[in-house]
Amino acid sequence: MAQSIPNYIKNVFLISLRLCEELERTLCISKKYGGMGFKKVRDFNIAMLARQAWRLIKLENNLMVRIFKANYFPKSSFLEARLG
């Protein structure tokens, strides 16, 4: 349960490396050794963001993708968009 709560954050934002390292110090230690047995926070964050990028590229007719494109990169594709 505790690991599923921050999934939205990991799905939408790139978490800083420093914060990931702090979380992993205790959360990712095996339960056998007194930790919580979580997966690597940084790896999971990157995987979730890659999944969202894949959706933006492959599902062009999806309503969420069309709204996101209209708001954030109306004159280019996701791969061509530049952060300003």
Side-chain angles (χ1 to χ4, degrees), residues 53-65:
W54 178 85
R55 289 179 60 124
L56 290 171
I57 294 167
K58 292 292 182 182
L59 304 176
E60 295 174 356
N61 293 323
N62 181 288
L63 179 60
M64 184 272 310
V65 173

Side-chain angles (χ1 to χ4, degrees), residues 58-77:
K58 292 292 182 182
L59 304 176
E60 295 174 356
N61 293 323
N62 181 288
L63 179 60
M64 184 272 310
V65 173
R66 292 189 330 210
I67 291 170
F68 195 85
K69 181 177 173 15
N71 283 330
Y72 297 106
F73 45 94
K75 297 180 182 178
S76 64
S77 73

Side-chain angles (χ1 to χ4, degrees), residues 22-62:
E22 287 180 32
L23 292 171
E24 288 174 358
R25 266 189 221 125
T26 56
L27 299 178
C28 293
I29 296 172
S30 172
K31 290 181 183 180
K32 180 179 177 180
Y33 299 109
M36 299 194 71
F38 285 6
K39 297 174 181 152
K40 296 290 184 180
V41 175
R42 182 67 171 192
D43 293 345
F44 193 69
N45 182 220
I46 298 296
M48 296 296 282
L49 292 174
R51 179 177 174 257
Q52 291 299 343
W54 178 85
R55 289 179 60 124
L56 290 171
I57 294 167
K58 292 292 182 182
L59 304 176
E60 295 174 356
N61 293 323
N62 181 288

Side-chain angles (χ1 to χ4, degrees), residues 1-17:
M1 174 76 173
Q3 189 170 4
S4 65
I5 292 170
N7 277 347
Y8 174 76
I9 302 296
K10 291 186 273 185
N11 204 358
V12 177
F13 301 105
L14 179 61
I15 301 171
S16 74
L17 187 56

